[in-house]
Amino acid sequence: MASRRSYGSYSDGCASAHALDLIGERWALLIVRELLLGPKRFGDLQRDVVGVGPTALTQRLHHLEEAGIVVRSRLPEPARVMVYDLTGWGRELEAVNAALSNWAVKSPSLPLQADMSPDTVVLAMRAHARPGPARRRVVTVGLRLTDSRIEGSEPVTYRATVASEGTTIEKVPELGEADAIVSTTTAAWKGCIIVGADLDPASVEGDPAAVRSLISATRLEIS
């Protein structure tokens, strides 16, 4: 296995440098990003971390495991597949991912038209989620997002709640009951949330006002 470069944290004692020794290698933080909403198989990670090869992915996962950021486990019956997940400490990196996202959206060279995976779009929503209006009723919205980068991909489902106390979006196996359900592609949903495009009304089932509340609470706003 190739030797890793160090930012010198073991000689100068800087916590920031040590953080970079842990997650500063190419692809490492993107792998963490793709695990923030739940465990994934090796093949899923290789698909969602665009550009990473199997050797580099294996090396980064090995290092993240050694560092105590990622853990490998086998799903129970009937799946019985090996997956990678974040430890509790590793999951705290969502705050780092959100801070980097909120900083980078001010870059004039940010590729706003580039597509994203379903999880990445939802993590962007979580990064700049805002509470709903005071004294308004709590609304729930189901999201059924199809990865527009991959032909024939299966939709991934999420459940969002907008309340005056805060807005949450979680990955769920089934949508259940909701005020509204949005079924669309990642490209269309990113266009709405990140770029500010209008959402096709045909993609909404249920209360359009609930969807407008979610969009208002999670749409990117650059000050």
Side-chain angles (χ1 to χ4, degrees):
M1 184 171 294
S3 61
R4 299 181 61 258
R5 292 171 293 182
S6 172
Y7 290 87
S9 69
Y10 294 96
S11 59
D12 72 8
C14 173
S16 295
H18 185 59
L20 290 173
D21 274 335
L22 295 173
I23 59 170
E25 197 79 2
R26 189 183 185 192
W27 309 117
L29 193 53
L30 296 185
I31 293 168
V32 169
R33 180 198 69 189
E34 290 302 327
L35 296 174
L36 286 170
L37 296 181
K40 289 187 177 182
R41 297 172 297 181
F42 186 93
D44 297 331
L45 288 169
Q46 191 172 1
R47 175 198 65 205
D48 293 335
V49 181
V50 179
V52 69
T55 300
L57 179 56
T58 299
Q59 290 173 348
R60 298 301 174 271
L61 285 168
H62 178 73
H63 169 67
L64 291 168
E65 281 188 84
E66 284 190 329
I69 297 167
V70 165
V71 64
R72 183 171 29 170
S73 62
R74 190 178 297 277
L75 292 179
E77 298 282 359
R80 295 189 63 190
V81 296
M82 192 68 71
V83 294
Y84 294 88
D85 199 1
L86 294 174
T87 62
W89 183 47
R91 207 163 295 283
E92 292 177 18
L93 285 166
E94 181 167 1
V96 176
N97 181 73
L100 285 171
S101 297
N102 287 326
W103 174 75
V105 294
K106 298 177 182 178
S107 166
S109 58
L110 179 68
L112 289 173
Q113 303 302 327
D115 208 347
M116 299 162 76
S117 72
D119 279 5
T120 309
V121 176
V122 168
L123 285 168
M125 295 170 67
R126 284 165 56 133
H128 42 72
R130 299 170 291 278
R135 296 184 296 278
R136 294 284 183 88
R137 73 179 182 91
V138 176
V139 298
T140 57
V141 178
L143 295 176
R144 186 182 289 116
L145 301 180
T146 302
D147 195 333
S148 48
R149 307 168 306 160
I150 304 171
E151 185 176 355
S153 62
E154 292 293 322
V156 186
T157 49
Y158 308 86
R159 183 177 179 85
T161 302
V162 182
S164 59
E165 295 81 13
T167 298
T168 61
I169 312 104
E170 304 291 340
K171 194 173 188 177
V172 293
E174 297 180 0
L175 289 178
E177 293 186 3
D179 294 302
I181 293 175
V182 179
S183 300
T184 190
T185 65
T186 50
W189 189 244
K190 181 193 174 180
C192 175
I193 295 296
I194 306 296
V195 184
D198 292 331
L199 182 65
D200 182 359
S203 65
V204 177
E205 175 187 342
D207 183 7
V211 179
R212 289 195 295 270
S213 294
L214 175 62
I215 293 171
S216 177
T218 58
R219 177 171 273 173
L220 176 63
E221 295 180 352
I222 302 176
S223 57

